[in-house]
Amino acid sequence: MLSREQFELELTRRQTPEVRKKLKEGCVAVAGLGGLGSNIALMLARTGVKKLFLVDFDTVDPSNLNRQAYTIPQMGMKKTDAIQELIRQVNPWMELETFDGRVTEANVEKLFEPYPVICEAFDTPESKAVLVNGVISRLPGSVLISGNGMAGSYSSNLIRTDKKMNRLYVCGDGVHGISKTESLTAARVNICAGHEANMAIRLILGEKEV
């Protein structure tokens, strides 16, 4: 068994005291728990942030296994429950809050207002637009990190993090979205997830993309 003290000790061996102090107080919302969001959440859990707010309405099915963090025994589970189960196996001491439902124009402000950093990881343009517009127009204390363009087998180097507005960052290649003509692979989706998670960490640390 691993104690909380041992877990924290191992983090402090790999993070400077200043970084560890900030990260252990970091709170991040992850909206969408598919290929991007499930992996973003696990990366942040391994990093040792204080709290995650996990949002999705869906359940785990076989089509998710090629790129999402879930396992075969979790098929049929709500994604909010399944990702909590995985996180607890990595970092059982962090605070977790979930919302099992859809994000709408009516609830976006209430759901995300407490969170200074929000990772957008939705599949559809409509859902992305609701969250982006809601955060930018109605949540002045929050910064949004969005994903756009991670499909195909194109060069990893095309995926990048760009600052689009003062409170909006976009990760991806900006071109190759989900479609019937593009493949989806765990590798490229995870690269984009890593960009979102790393930008969330940088924001917690007070860093910004130029």
Side-chain angles (χ1 to χ4, degrees):
M1 295 296 292
L2 182 71
S3 69
R4 182 171 190 170
E5 291 73 21
Q6 288 174 308
F7 181 80
E8 185 65 28
L9 176 62
E10 294 304 324
L11 286 175
T12 59
R13 287 174 174 169
R14 289 160 176 81
Q15 299 170 5
T16 67
E18 296 80 8
V19 167
R20 184 73 211 117
K21 181 178 180 180
K22 291 180 180 179
L23 289 179
K24 69 192 300 183
E25 294 302 321
C27 298
V28 181
V30 182
L33 299 173
L36 275 181
S38 63
N39 289 296
I40 291 168
L42 277 172
M43 291 178 198
L44 294 175
R46 292 182 187 279
T47 304
V49 300
K50 177 182 179 180
K51 182 178 180 179
L52 292 177
F53 178 42
L54 307 164
V55 178
D56 205 296
F57 67 89
D58 208 357
T59 58
V60 179
D61 68 51
S63 69
N64 303 150
L65 299 177
N66 77 325
R67 68 197 182 281
Q68 301 183 20
Y70 308 109
T71 64
I72 290 174
Q74 291 182 315
M75 287 192 298
M77 290 180 65
K78 293 180 179 179
K79 288 186 177 179
T80 49
D81 292 335
I83 194 63
Q84 284 189 89
E85 184 177 81
L86 294 176
I87 289 172
R88 293 302 183 200
Q89 294 176 28
V90 172
N91 181 356
W93 302 283
M94 73 181 309
E95 297 177 32
L96 297 177
E97 182 181 359
T98 64
F99 175 72
D100 180 35
R102 294 181 183 272
V103 176
T104 66
E105 292 182 2
N107 67 16
V108 63
E109 189 172 1
K110 180 180 179 180
L111 288 174
F112 296 101
E113 191 275 334
Y115 295 92
V117 180
I118 303 165
C119 291
E120 179 277 314
F122 288 136
D123 289 335
T124 66
E126 295 79 13
S127 296
K128 289 176 181 288
V130 167
L131 186 58
V132 172
N133 292 336
V135 172
I136 298 303
S137 64
R138 294 153 59 188
L139 297 175
S142 300
V143 178
L144 182 70
I145 309 165
S146 183
N148 182 22
M150 67 216 69
S153 55
Y154 307 96
S155 172
S156 303
N157 298 330
L158 296 176
I159 294 178
R160 51 179 290 133
T161 300
D162 290 317
K163 185 177 182 180
K164 297 296 186 181
M165 299 170 60
N166 189 43
R167 294 187 294 109
L168 175 63
Y169 293 85
V170 177
C171 303
D173 66 19
V175 177
H176 302 103
I178 299 171
S179 71
K180 293 181 179 179
T181 61
E182 293 283 15
S183 300
L184 279 175
T185 67
R188 206 159 191 268
V189 171
N190 268 275
I191 293 168
C192 190
H195 272 258
E196 285 206 41
N198 191 58
M199 194 65 237
I201 291 167
R202 294 187 66 201
L203 289 169
I204 292 170
L205 297 178
E207 300 175 6
K208 298 180 180 180
E209 197 74 25
V210 178

